[in-house]
Amino acid sequence: MTFSATRLIARQAQKNAHIRAFVNSISRVRARIRQGGLTFIKDEDVLRAVLKAMKKVQTNTHQYYINELLSDENMERQYEAMRIKYNAKKYKNWEHRVKASPGNVSIYYALVRELKPNRIVETGTATGSMTSYLLAALNKNKCGQLTSLDLAPISGKLTMDLSLPQNEVGYWIPEVYKDRWTYIPGDSKVTLPRVMVDEKVDFFIHDSLHTRSHMLFEYAVARSLMREGAIIASDDVLWNNSFDDFLMLNRLTSWSPNGNPNIAVAINQFDKFETDIGTGISEQV
């Protein structure tokens, strides 16, 4: 199955409940034959699948975390204020926004709540839509820090469709959650390796420039500078075949929610040869 076909059927599954089971089964078979790649599952199954693969006990359900996020008054107030200020019309209110994409809750909120990572790094922030979910989860955990690497977006440049001044980057984020947030402006080709070397990152998310070379660069840096068992997630996995190719090359399997098949999450793993040699930065001179 070609990647273009994969993208097409994933999008169809998003719209049509009758073909989702078929699409999910085909993606699992495809990943098994190729020894890695994108697999599609129900939104509510993403959290369960990741924790099971990590041999961790799940403490709360996917629905529990949806309800928890819905009840976050700081997030709701910020959303309503910014929705009016920026004339955002995609969702009619906070409840609509959360419930419209339960897969986003799985990866950007519930998984953080369950795993309680100490260090998260994301590339690409822009308005801070999913950044706010990550910070809300860290605030609820009462531990952990998020570092966001991004250039202020300019419409028509670097695949961006909006412009924001530097001081408005991340405007969806409630002010009270910013104490767990570090924003580093700049190109991630420069900033990402530095941060990955300096910090023991548990959770990485790509959401910056969606060119094949840039995406593959970020995935490779994250994989090589993160420990085994760390999380590698990505937005826009259906933009091109970069994430799917990265997974296959490294024999990794990801989980992508049917409701938003454009996002996916995988667990970093190394083969025995790499593990025996050592995957960390060598101190040998």
Side-chain angles (χ1 to χ4, degrees):
M1 184 188 299
T2 64
F3 182 77
S4 58
T6 300
R7 178 166 48 199
L8 176 63
I9 63 173
R11 289 299 194 191
Q12 290 302 312
Q14 183 181 20
K15 301 172 185 177
N16 190 331
H18 297 294
I19 66 172
R20 284 178 191 166
F22 171 74
V23 169
N24 294 353
S25 297
I26 289 296
S27 70
R28 287 195 296 270
V29 171
R30 176 177 178 269
R32 191 177 302 118
I33 292 172
R34 297 164 77 240
Q35 295 186 305
L38 289 166
T39 62
F40 304 101
I41 61 178
K42 297 177 181 178
D43 297 64
E44 63 269 22
D45 290 342
V46 172
L47 179 62
R48 185 184 305 115
V50 175
L51 295 176
K52 181 179 179 181
M54 298 179 76
K55 295 181 171 59
K56 292 184 178 292
V57 176
Q58 184 173 337
T59 58
N60 289 299
T61 65
H62 177 251
Q63 186 60 49
Y64 174 91
Y65 290 117
I66 289 177
N67 294 339
E68 186 175 83
L69 193 54
L70 283 170
S71 66
D72 189 317
E73 295 180 355
N74 292 315
M75 291 285 280
E76 183 175 7
R77 278 196 299 267
Q78 184 71 11
Y79 179 76
E80 294 301 334
M82 294 301 102
R83 184 175 67 85
I84 294 170
K85 178 178 179 179
Y86 291 96
N87 195 28
K89 298 178 179 179
K90 186 174 182 179
Y91 306 112
K92 59 185 179 182
N93 54 35
W94 174 240
E95 181 180 9
H96 183 208
R97 182 193 179 196
V98 173
K99 289 184 176 180
S101 188
N104 287 358
V105 178
S106 295
I107 294 176
Y108 294 96
Y109 187 83
L111 198 54
V112 176
R113 288 283 286 117
E114 287 281 334
L115 294 179
K116 294 180 172 51
N118 289 318
R119 286 286 184 271
I120 304 175
V121 169
E122 67 160 356
T123 62
T125 306
T127 62
S129 178
M130 291 299 100
T131 308
S132 66
Y133 277 33
L134 297 169
L135 288 168
L138 292 179
N139 178 75
K140 202 73 174 179
N141 290 347
K142 298 182 180 179
C143 66
Q145 295 288 325
L146 167 65
T147 300
S148 300
L149 314 175
D150 198 15
L151 293 164
I154 300 175
S155 182
K157 294 188 177 182
L158 301 178
T159 68
M160 294 305 300
D161 59 1
L162 81 161
S163 297
L164 278 180
Q166 195 77 61
N167 65 346
E168 292 185 29
V169 169
Y171 64 70
W172 292 117
I173 305 169
E175 196 65 33
V176 293
Y177 292 166
K178 289 185 178 180
D179 61 339
R180 296 191 179 277
W181 186 46
T182 300
Y183 169 55
I184 301 177
D187 192 321
S188 64
K189 289 192 290 292
V190 176
T191 58
L192 182 60
R194 291 175 180 170
V195 171
M196 284 291 187
V197 169
D198 291 343
E199 300 183 14
K200 293 182 179 179
V201 180
D202 307 302
F203 199 123
F204 169 74
I205 304 162
H206 161 83
D207 193 14
S208 61
L209 179 61
H210 302 315
T211 62
R212 181 172 169 82
S213 60
H214 191 87
M215 293 171 79
L216 288 172
F217 166 80
E218 289 196 359
Y219 301 146
V221 169
R223 171 168 164 72
S224 61
L225 294 178
M226 294 172 74
R227 61 175 175 79
E228 185 163 28
I231 293 293
I232 298 176
S234 181
D235 196 3
D236 292 288
V237 298
L238 299 181
W239 187 287
N240 55 46
N241 61 349
S242 300
F243 194 61
D244 194 49
D245 284 351
F246 162 75
L247 295 168
M248 185 179 67
L249 176 64
N250 294 287
R251 298 183 178 182
L252 302 177
T253 297
S254 76
W255 298 272
S256 182
N258 292 137
N260 182 6
N262 206 29
I263 59 175
V265 57
I267 302 167
N268 199 21
Q269 295 175 315
F270 300 100
D271 60 33
K272 187 176 184 303
F273 180 71
E274 289 180 289
T275 303
D276 288 347
I277 291 174
T279 59
I281 295 175
S282 176
E283 300 295 333
Q284 183 177 359
V285 179

